[in-house]
Amino acid sequence: MLKRIMAVVFALGMSATASANTCHYDFTAEGGEAYSLDHIVAFVTGEIRPRLGNDNTILDIHITERCPGKKPVVNTLGMNTKNLYLLTINKLPLPDHIVRYNNRLPLTLNKANFEHSLSLIADQDFLKFYAEGVTRSYQDVEEEIQQQKILKMLAFVFAEAPRFESAEVALKKTMAGNCSISWHDFDFALHNWSNMSRFVIDTETVGKKQYRGGGADQLLAPVTLKQEAAFLKAVEAGEDYRFSHNAVFGQYDYEC
């Protein structure tokens, strides 16, 4: 039990006091209403998911942090509505080594870790390690990894939950405050969004409540749990559908 607790506490390099964060967070997408952290699932499914389309535009997601005794701080994430990629933070373009984070980095998804990630955004210089060939210290590498983990957490909540019903369910369970789950349980789904979307379109199983985009209506949001299972069954049976060979399907194992 102690090992499990420590793994959760240090999953983002967070201190033992991080869970005592008394700050509150509100979320808005341009032109939309504000949502509290308690309603984050409604925010990503109602304000972000419907924005998926074929136009190459940027959707600003505003995160307002309200802490006792301090002025509110607003951090802004820039998302490409064509593919739901997070490309900017506070109007600054994210360098490739942050956007294309090392996917083998362990990350525990839970409410405390999400709030801790939110609390770190404003203090990050995401362009600090942009220049190539610069000698970096151990502390520099550690800081870069932390930045990748922050973006990885933000990506799961604001990009993957709109894309996949499985990620939406994970967000709902973890934000209830009593469940944790590993990012890597979702490797198969998250690495196969375009492949699953093509499968659903090819098999003519697109639902009425699925949004389409990607520039040519080839991406779907959300891919449902039923569609994900059907895709997995098809590739296991050797049917000729592309899939990521680097992401083996795993069970969704929650710790609650």
PDB file of all heavy atoms in Angstrom, residues 130-161:
ATOM      1  N   TYR A 130      14.854  24.897 -26.397  1.00  0.00           N
ATOM      2  CA  TYR A 130      14.548  24.828 -27.827  1.00  0.00           C
ATOM      3  C   TYR A 130      15.807  24.647 -28.675  1.00  0.00           C
ATOM      4  O   TYR A 130      15.823  23.878 -29.627  1.00  0.00           O
ATOM      5  CB  TYR A 130      13.806  26.093 -28.265  1.00  0.00           C
ATOM      6  CG  TYR A 130      13.381  26.074 -29.711  1.00  0.00           C
ATOM      7  CD1 TYR A 130      12.309  25.283 -30.127  1.00  0.00           C
ATOM      8  CD2 TYR A 130      14.049  26.819 -30.671  1.00  0.00           C
ATOM      9  CE1 TYR A 130      11.921  25.241 -31.449  1.00  0.00           C
ATOM     10  CE2 TYR A 130      13.666  26.789 -32.004  1.00  0.00           C
ATOM     11  CZ  TYR A 130      12.594  26.005 -32.383  1.00  0.00           C
ATOM     12  OH  TYR A 130      12.217  25.964 -33.699  1.00  0.00           O
ATOM     13  N   ALA A 131      16.870  25.376 -28.328  1.00  0.00           N
ATOM     14  CA  ALA A 131      18.088  25.327 -29.137  1.00  0.00           C
ATOM     15  C   ALA A 131      18.733  23.948 -29.064  1.00  0.00           C
ATOM     16  O   ALA A 131      18.880  23.375 -27.984  1.00  0.00           O
ATOM     17  CB  ALA A 131      19.070  26.391 -28.671  1.00  0.00           C
ATOM     18  N   GLU A 132      19.095  23.409 -30.220  1.00  0.00           N
ATOM     19  CA  GLU A 132      19.755  22.112 -30.266  1.00  0.00           C
ATOM     20  C   GLU A 132      21.256  22.272 -30.046  1.00  0.00           C
ATOM     21  O   GLU A 132      21.843  23.312 -30.328  1.00  0.00           O
ATOM     22  CB  GLU A 132      19.492  21.430 -31.610  1.00  0.00           C
ATOM     23  CG  GLU A 132      18.027  21.079 -31.843  1.00  0.00           C
ATOM     24  CD  GLU A 132      17.818  20.348 -33.153  1.00  0.00           C
ATOM     25  OE1 GLU A 132      18.828  20.101 -33.834  1.00  0.00           O
ATOM     26  OE2 GLU A 132      16.658  20.035 -33.480  1.00  0.00           O
ATOM     27  N   GLY A 133      21.891  21.245 -29.539  1.00  0.00           N
ATOM     28  CA  GLY A 133      23.327  21.264 -29.356  1.00  0.00           C
ATOM     29  C   GLY A 133      23.798  21.992 -28.115  1.00  0.00           C
ATOM     30  O   GLY A 133      24.993  22.170 -27.904  1.00  0.00           O
ATOM     31  N   VAL A 134      22.864  22.431 -27.279  1.00  0.00           N
ATOM     32  CA  VAL A 134      23.229  23.135 -26.050  1.00  0.00           C
ATOM     33  C   VAL A 134      23.488  22.106 -24.950  1.00  0.00           C
ATOM     34  O   VAL A 134      22.682  21.203 -24.731  1.00  0.00           O
ATOM     35  CB  VAL A 134      22.108  24.105 -25.615  1.00  0.00           C
ATOM     36  CG1 VAL A 134      22.453  24.743 -24.272  1.00  0.00           C
ATOM     37  CG2 VAL A 134      21.897  25.168 -26.679  1.00  0.00           C
ATOM     38  N   THR A 135      24.620  22.250 -24.270  1.00  0.00           N
ATOM     39  CA  THR A 135      24.942  21.338 -23.174  1.00  0.00           C
ATOM     40  C   THR A 135      23.996  21.591 -22.011  1.00  0.00           C
ATOM     41  O   THR A 135      23.806  22.726 -21.577  1.00  0.00           O
ATOM     42  CB  THR A 135      26.392  21.542 -22.702  1.00  0.00           C
ATOM     43  OG1 THR A 135      27.261  21.302 -23.806  1.00  0.00           O
ATOM     44  CG2 THR A 135      26.724  20.586 -21.563  1.00  0.00           C
ATOM     45  N   ARG A 136      23.391  20.522 -21.511  1.00  0.00           N
ATOM     46  CA  ARG A 136      22.415  20.670 -20.433  1.00  0.00           C
ATOM     47  C   ARG A 136      22.841  19.865 -19.218  1.00  0.00           C
ATOM     48  O   ARG A 136      23.415  18.791 -19.343  1.00  0.00           O
ATOM     49  CB  ARG A 136      21.032  20.204 -20.905  1.00  0.00           C
ATOM     50  CG  ARG A 136      20.410  21.107 -21.955  1.00  0.00           C
ATOM     51  CD  ARG A 136      19.105  20.543 -22.458  1.00  0.00           C
ATOM     52  NE  ARG A 136      19.329  19.341 -23.267  1.00  0.00           N
ATOM     53  CZ  ARG A 136      18.355  18.554 -23.704  1.00  0.00           C
ATOM     54  NH1 ARG A 136      17.105  18.819 -23.390  1.00  0.00           N
ATOM     55  NH2 ARG A 136      18.626  17.499 -24.431  1.00  0.00           N
ATOM     56  N   SER A 137      22.524  20.404 -18.063  1.00  0.00           N
ATOM     57  CA  SER A 137      22.836  19.727 -16.811  1.00  0.00           C
ATOM     58  C   SER A 137      21.788  18.670 -16.519  1.00  0.00           C
ATOM     59  O   SER A 137      20.756  18.582 -17.204  1.00  0.00           O
ATOM     60  CB  SER A 137      22.867  20.734 -15.662  1.00  0.00           C
ATOM     61  OG  SER A 137      21.552  21.242 -15.438  1.00  0.00           O
ATOM     62  N   TYR A 138      22.038  17.868 -15.485  1.00  0.00           N
ATOM     63  CA  TYR A 138      21.046  16.873 -15.059  1.00  0.00           C
ATOM     64  C   TYR A 138      19.735  17.555 -14.692  1.00  0.00           C
ATOM     65  O   TYR A 138      18.655  17.083 -15.022  1.00  0.00           O
ATOM     66  CB  TYR A 138      21.590  16.086 -13.868  1.00  0.00           C
ATOM     67  CG  TYR A 138      20.598  15.070 -13.336  1.00  0.00           C
ATOM     68  CD1 TYR A 138      20.530  13.793 -13.887  1.00  0.00           C
ATOM     69  CD2 TYR A 138      19.707  15.394 -12.307  1.00  0.00           C
ATOM     70  CE1 TYR A 138      19.614  12.864 -13.425  1.00  0.00           C
ATOM     71  CE2 TYR A 138      18.786  14.473 -11.844  1.00  0.00           C
ATOM     72  CZ  TYR A 138      18.748  13.211 -12.402  1.00  0.00           C
ATOM     73  OH  TYR A 138      17.832  12.298 -11.950  1.00  0.00           O
ATOM     74  N   GLN A 139      19.839  18.705 -13.994  1.00  0.00           N
ATOM     75  CA  GLN A 139      18.642  19.437 -13.593  1.00  0.00           C
ATOM     76  C   GLN A 139      17.868  19.945 -14.804  1.00  0.00           C
ATOM     77  O   GLN A 139      16.631  19.980 -14.796  1.00  0.00           O
ATOM     78  CB  GLN A 139      19.020  20.610 -12.678  1.00  0.00           C
ATOM     79  CG  GLN A 139      19.442  20.218 -11.267  1.00  0.00           C
ATOM     80  CD  GLN A 139      20.833  19.580 -11.233  1.00  0.00           C
ATOM     81  OE1 GLN A 139      21.658  19.804 -12.137  1.00  0.00           O
ATOM     82  NE2 GLN A 139      21.088  18.792 -10.195  1.00  0.00           N
ATOM     83  N   ASP A 140      18.588  20.329 -15.865  1.00  0.00           N
ATOM     84  CA  ASP A 140      17.922  20.773 -17.091  1.00  0.00           C
ATOM     85  C   ASP A 140      17.115  19.635 -17.720  1.00  0.00           C
ATOM     86  O   ASP A 140      15.976  19.826 -18.142  1.00  0.00           O
ATOM     87  CB  ASP A 140      18.954  21.271 -18.108  1.00  0.00           C
ATOM     88  CG  ASP A 140      19.583  22.590 -17.712  1.00  0.00           C
ATOM     89  OD1 ASP A 140      18.977  23.317 -16.905  1.00  0.00           O
ATOM     90  OD2 ASP A 140      20.693  22.881 -18.203  1.00  0.00           O
ATOM     91  N   VAL A 141      17.728  18.460 -17.782  1.00  0.00           N
ATOM     92  CA  VAL A 141      17.037  17.302 -18.356  1.00  0.00           C
ATOM     93  C   VAL A 141      15.822  16.946 -17.519  1.00  0.00           C
ATOM     94  O   VAL A 141      14.739  16.636 -18.046  1.00  0.00           O
ATOM     95  CB  VAL A 141      18.000  16.098 -18.458  1.00  0.00           C
ATOM     96  CG1 VAL A 141      17.247  14.855 -18.930  1.00  0.00           C
ATOM     97  CG2 VAL A 141      19.143  16.416 -19.410  1.00  0.00           C
ATOM     98  N   GLU A 142      15.968  17.011 -16.212  1.00  0.00           N
ATOM     99  CA  GLU A 142      14.854  16.719 -15.306  1.00  0.00           C
ATOM    100  C   GLU A 142      13.710  17.705 -15.528  1.00  0.00           C
ATOM    101  O   GLU A 142      12.534  17.317 -15.546  1.00  0.00           O
ATOM    102  CB  GLU A 142      15.356  16.795 -13.862  1.00  0.00           C
ATOM    103  CG  GLU A 142      14.428  16.159 -12.844  1.00  0.00           C
ATOM    104  CD  GLU A 142      15.066  16.127 -11.466  1.00  0.00           C
ATOM    105  OE1 GLU A 142      15.597  17.179 -11.042  1.00  0.00           O
ATOM    106  OE2 GLU A 142      15.043  15.073 -10.819  1.00  0.00           O
ATOM    107  N   GLU A 143      14.064  18.981 -15.722  1.00  0.00           N
ATOM    108  CA  GLU A 143      13.046  20.015 -15.956  1.00  0.00           C
ATOM    109  C   GLU A 143      12.338  19.789 -17.290  1.00  0.00           C
ATOM    110  O   GLU A 143      11.116  19.963 -17.405  1.00  0.00           O
ATOM    111  CB  GLU A 143      13.692  21.396 -15.931  1.00  0.00           C
ATOM    112  CG  GLU A 143      12.694  22.534 -16.062  1.00  0.00           C
ATOM    113  CD  GLU A 143      13.359  23.902 -15.972  1.00  0.00           C
ATOM    114  OE1 GLU A 143      14.548  23.975 -15.575  1.00  0.00           O
ATOM    115  OE2 GLU A 143      12.686  24.900 -16.307  1.00  0.00           O
ATOM    116  N   GLU A 144      13.101  19.396 -18.312  1.00  0.00           N
ATOM    117  CA  GLU A 144      12.499  19.126 -19.615  1.00  0.00           C
ATOM    118  C   GLU A 144      11.521  17.958 -19.534  1.00  0.00           C
ATOM    119  O   GLU A 144      10.429  18.002 -20.127  1.00  0.00           O
ATOM    120  CB  GLU A 144      13.588  18.822 -20.641  1.00  0.00           C
ATOM    121  CG  GLU A 144      13.047  18.567 -22.037  1.00  0.00           C
ATOM    122  CD  GLU A 144      14.154  18.299 -23.039  1.00  0.00           C
ATOM    123  OE1 GLU A 144      15.293  18.742 -22.807  1.00  0.00           O
ATOM    124  OE2 GLU A 144      13.866  17.647 -24.055  1.00  0.00           O
ATOM    125  N   ILE A 145      11.877  16.923 -18.812  1.00  0.00           N
ATOM    126  CA  ILE A 145      10.985  15.780 -18.639  1.00  0.00           C
ATOM    127  C   ILE A 145       9.716  16.202 -17.921  1.00  0.00           C
ATOM    128  O   ILE A 145       8.614  15.778 -18.267  1.00  0.00           O
ATOM    129  CB  ILE A 145      11.702  14.648 -17.879  1.00  0.00           C
ATOM    130  CG1 ILE A 145      12.786  14.027 -18.768  1.00  0.00           C
ATOM    131  CG2 ILE A 145      10.708  13.570 -17.437  1.00  0.00           C
ATOM    132  CD1 ILE A 145      13.659  13.015 -18.065  1.00  0.00           C
ATOM    133  N   GLN A 146       9.858  17.063 -16.920  1.00  0.00           N
ATOM    134  CA  GLN A 146       8.670  17.550 -16.211  1.00  0.00           C
ATOM    135  C   GLN A 146       7.754  18.315 -17.165  1.00  0.00           C
ATOM    136  O   GLN A 146       6.525  18.165 -17.119  1.00  0.00           O
ATOM    137  CB  GLN A 146       9.065  18.452 -15.050  1.00  0.00           C
ATOM    138  CG  GLN A 146       7.853  18.929 -14.244  1.00  0.00           C
ATOM    139  CD  GLN A 146       8.218  19.896 -13.149  1.00  0.00           C
ATOM    140  OE1 GLN A 146       8.759  20.970 -13.407  1.00  0.00           O
ATOM    141  NE2 GLN A 146       7.940  19.531 -11.910  1.00  0.00           N
ATOM    142  N   GLN A 147       8.330  19.125 -18.049  1.00  0.00           N
ATOM    143  CA  GLN A 147       7.519  19.854 -19.021  1.00  0.00           C
ATOM    144  C   GLN A 147       6.769  18.893 -19.938  1.00  0.00           C
ATOM    145  O   GLN A 147       5.595  19.108 -20.259  1.00  0.00           O
ATOM    146  CB  GLN A 147       8.404  20.789 -19.846  1.00  0.00           C
ATOM    147  CG  GLN A 147       8.941  21.972 -19.065  1.00  0.00           C
ATOM    148  CD  GLN A 147       9.783  22.892 -19.931  1.00  0.00           C
ATOM    149  OE1 GLN A 147      10.079  22.600 -21.087  1.00  0.00           O
ATOM    150  NE2 GLN A 147      10.181  24.027 -19.367  1.00  0.00           N
ATOM    151  N   GLN A 148       7.435  17.831 -20.348  1.00  0.00           N
ATOM    152  CA  GLN A 148       6.780  16.839 -21.189  1.00  0.00           C
ATOM    153  C   GLN A 148       5.632  16.164 -20.441  1.00  0.00           C
ATOM    154  O   GLN A 148       4.575  15.890 -21.010  1.00  0.00           O
ATOM    155  CB  GLN A 148       7.792  15.808 -21.678  1.00  0.00           C
ATOM    156  CG  GLN A 148       8.807  16.362 -22.645  1.00  0.00           C
ATOM    157  CD  GLN A 148       9.781  15.316 -23.146  1.00  0.00           C
ATOM    158  OE1 GLN A 148       9.747  14.173 -22.726  1.00  0.00           O
ATOM    159  NE2 GLN A 148      10.663  15.705 -24.043  1.00  0.00           N
ATOM    160  N   LYS A 149       5.839  15.900 -19.159  1.00  0.00           N
ATOM    161  CA  LYS A 149       4.776  15.274 -18.369  1.00  0.00           C
ATOM    162  C   LYS A 149       3.588  16.219 -18.195  1.00  0.00           C
ATOM    163  O   LYS A 149       2.423  15.782 -18.218  1.00  0.00           O
ATOM    164  CB  LYS A 149       5.316  14.845 -17.004  1.00  0.00           C
ATOM    165  CG  LYS A 149       6.197  13.614 -17.057  1.00  0.00           C
ATOM    166  CD  LYS A 149       6.583  13.155 -15.659  1.00  0.00           C
ATOM    167  CE  LYS A 149       7.369  11.847 -15.705  1.00  0.00           C
ATOM    168  NZ  LYS A 149       7.719  11.357 -14.359  1.00  0.00           N
ATOM    169  N   ILE A 150       3.861  17.499 -18.014  1.00  0.00           N
ATOM    170  CA  ILE A 150       2.783  18.478 -17.892  1.00  0.00           C
ATOM    171  C   ILE A 150       1.945  18.476 -19.163  1.00  0.00           C
ATOM    172  O   ILE A 150       0.712  18.398 -19.115  1.00  0.00           O
ATOM    173  CB  ILE A 150       3.346  19.883 -17.615  1.00  0.00           C
ATOM    174  CG1 ILE A 150       3.961  19.952 -16.218  1.00  0.00           C
ATOM    175  CG2 ILE A 150       2.250  20.945 -17.750  1.00  0.00           C
ATOM    176  CD1 ILE A 150       4.751  21.230 -15.950  1.00  0.00           C
ATOM    177  N   LEU A 151       2.619  18.559 -20.323  1.00  0.00           N
ATOM    178  CA  LEU A 151       1.882  18.573 -21.577  1.00  0.00           C
ATOM    179  C   LEU A 151       1.152  17.259 -21.797  1.00  0.00           C
ATOM    180  O   LEU A 151       0.026  17.235 -22.305  1.00  0.00           O
ATOM    181  CB  LEU A 151       2.813  18.850 -22.760  1.00  0.00           C
ATOM    182  CG  LEU A 151       2.057  19.018 -24.081  1.00  0.00           C
ATOM    183  CD1 LEU A 151       1.211  20.291 -24.056  1.00  0.00           C
ATOM    184  CD2 LEU A 151       2.994  19.033 -25.265  1.00  0.00           C
ATOM    185  N   LYS A 152       1.764  16.165 -21.391  1.00  0.00           N
ATOM    186  CA  LYS A 152       1.143  14.848 -21.539  1.00  0.00           C
ATOM    187  C   LYS A 152      -0.157  14.769 -20.743  1.00  0.00           C
ATOM    188  O   LYS A 152      -1.161  14.234 -21.218  1.00  0.00           O
ATOM    189  CB  LYS A 152       2.124  13.772 -21.072  1.00  0.00           C
ATOM    190  CG  LYS A 152       1.759  12.355 -21.456  1.00  0.00           C
ATOM    191  CD  LYS A 152       2.916  11.423 -21.150  1.00  0.00           C
ATOM    192  CE  LYS A 152       2.605   9.995 -21.552  1.00  0.00           C
ATOM    193  NZ  LYS A 152       3.734   9.089 -21.329  1.00  0.00           N
ATOM    194  N   MET A 153      -0.156  15.340 -19.544  1.00  0.00           N
ATOM    195  CA  MET A 153      -1.366  15.381 -18.729  1.00  0.00           C
ATOM    196  C   MET A 153      -2.422  16.265 -19.380  1.00  0.00           C
ATOM    197  O   MET A 153      -3.604  15.884 -19.484  1.00  0.00           O
ATOM    198  CB  MET A 153      -1.041  15.892 -17.326  1.00  0.00           C
ATOM    199  CG  MET A 153      -2.245  15.998 -16.406  1.00  0.00           C
ATOM    200  SD  MET A 153      -2.907  14.395 -15.911  1.00  0.00           S
ATOM    201  CE  MET A 153      -1.702  13.933 -14.646  1.00  0.00           C
ATOM    202  N   LEU A 154      -2.018  17.456 -19.835  1.00  0.00           N
ATOM    203  CA  LEU A 154      -2.955  18.364 -20.490  1.00  0.00           C
ATOM    204  C   LEU A 154      -3.529  17.729 -21.752  1.00  0.00           C
ATOM    205  O   LEU A 154      -4.717  17.873 -22.041  1.00  0.00           O
ATOM    206  CB  LEU A 154      -2.255  19.681 -20.833  1.00  0.00           C
ATOM    207  CG  LEU A 154      -1.717  20.503 -19.660  1.00  0.00           C
ATOM    208  CD1 LEU A 154      -0.950  21.722 -20.176  1.00  0.00           C
ATOM    209  CD2 LEU A 154      -2.839  20.934 -18.730  1.00  0.00           C
ATOM    210  N   ALA A 155      -2.688  17.011 -22.496  1.00  0.00           N
ATOM    211  CA  ALA A 155      -3.142  16.387 -23.730  1.00  0.00           C
ATOM    212  C   ALA A 155      -4.193  15.320 -23.468  1.00  0.00           C
ATOM    213  O   ALA A 155      -5.166  15.193 -24.217  1.00  0.00           O
ATOM    214  CB  ALA A 155      -1.952  15.786 -24.486  1.00  0.00           C
ATOM    215  N   PHE A 156      -4.008  14.538 -22.395  1.00  0.00           N
ATOM    216  CA  PHE A 156      -4.991  13.492 -22.108  1.00  0.00           C
ATOM    217  C   PHE A 156      -6.356  14.108 -21.823  1.00  0.00           C
ATOM    218  O   PHE A 156      -7.382  13.659 -22.346  1.00  0.00           O
ATOM    219  CB  PHE A 156      -4.567  12.637 -20.919  1.00  0.00           C
ATOM    220  CG  PHE A 156      -5.435  11.421 -20.739  1.00  0.00           C
ATOM    221  CD1 PHE A 156      -5.122  10.232 -21.373  1.00  0.00           C
ATOM    222  CD2 PHE A 156      -6.583  11.474 -19.964  1.00  0.00           C
ATOM    223  CE1 PHE A 156      -5.949   9.109 -21.242  1.00  0.00           C
ATOM    224  CE2 PHE A 156      -7.412  10.369 -19.820  1.00  0.00           C
ATOM    225  CZ  PHE A 156      -7.089   9.179 -20.469  1.00  0.00           C
ATOM    226  N   VAL A 157      -6.353  15.153 -20.996  1.00  0.00           N
ATOM    227  CA  VAL A 157      -7.624  15.756 -20.579  1.00  0.00           C
ATOM    228  C   VAL A 157      -8.291  16.517 -21.715  1.00  0.00           C
ATOM    229  O   VAL A 157      -9.486  16.336 -21.982  1.00  0.00           O
ATOM    230  CB  VAL A 157      -7.399  16.689 -19.370  1.00  0.00           C
ATOM    231  CG1 VAL A 157      -8.692  17.433 -19.016  1.00  0.00           C
ATOM    232  CG2 VAL A 157      -6.907  15.889 -18.170  1.00  0.00           C
ATOM    233  N   PHE A 158      -7.528  17.375 -22.406  1.00  0.00           N
ATOM    234  CA  PHE A 158      -8.142  18.290 -23.365  1.00  0.00           C
ATOM    235  C   PHE A 158      -8.165  17.766 -24.805  1.00  0.00           C
ATOM    236  O   PHE A 158      -8.921  18.290 -25.625  1.00  0.00           O
ATOM    237  CB  PHE A 158      -7.421  19.638 -23.319  1.00  0.00           C
ATOM    238  CG  PHE A 158      -7.528  20.320 -21.990  1.00  0.00           C
ATOM    239  CD1 PHE A 158      -6.424  20.428 -21.159  1.00  0.00           C
ATOM    240  CD2 PHE A 158      -8.743  20.826 -21.544  1.00  0.00           C
ATOM    241  CE1 PHE A 158      -6.513  21.048 -19.921  1.00  0.00           C
ATOM    242  CE2 PHE A 158      -8.849  21.440 -20.304  1.00  0.00           C
ATOM    243  CZ  PHE A 158      -7.735  21.550 -19.486  1.00  0.00           C
ATOM    244  N   ALA A 159      -7.352  16.758 -25.117  1.00  0.00           N
ATOM    245  CA  ALA A 159      -7.338  16.225 -26.482  1.00  0.00           C
ATOM    246  C   ALA A 159      -7.835  14.788 -26.562  1.00  0.00           C
ATOM    247  O   ALA A 159      -8.667  14.456 -27.405  1.00  0.00           O
ATOM    248  CB  ALA A 159      -5.927  16.321 -27.063  1.00  0.00           C
ATOM    249  N   GLU A 160      -7.337  13.913 -25.682  1.00  0.00           N
ATOM    250  CA  GLU A 160      -7.714  12.501 -25.772  1.00  0.00           C
ATOM    251  C   GLU A 160      -9.136  12.243 -25.266  1.00  0.00           C
ATOM    252  O   GLU A 160      -9.853  11.422 -25.844  1.00  0.00           O
ATOM    253  CB  GLU A 160      -6.711  11.633 -25.017  1.00  0.00           C
ATOM    254  CG  GLU A 160      -5.250  11.839 -25.412  1.00  0.00           C
ATOM    255  CD  GLU A 160      -4.961  11.580 -26.890  1.00  0.00           C
ATOM    256  OE1 GLU A 160      -5.866  11.145 -27.624  1.00  0.00           O
ATOM    257  OE2 GLU A 160      -3.816  11.829 -27.302  1.00  0.00           O
ATOM    258  N   ALA A 161      -9.553  12.915 -24.209  1.00  0.00           N
ATOM    259  CA  ALA A 161     -10.926  12.714 -23.709  1.00  0.00           C
ATOM    260  C   ALA A 161     -11.968  13.121 -24.755  1.00  0.00           C
ATOM    261  O   ALA A 161     -12.992  12.450 -24.886  1.00  0.00           O
ATOM    262  CB  ALA A 161     -11.132  13.458 -22.401  1.00  0.00           C
TER     263      ALA A 161
END
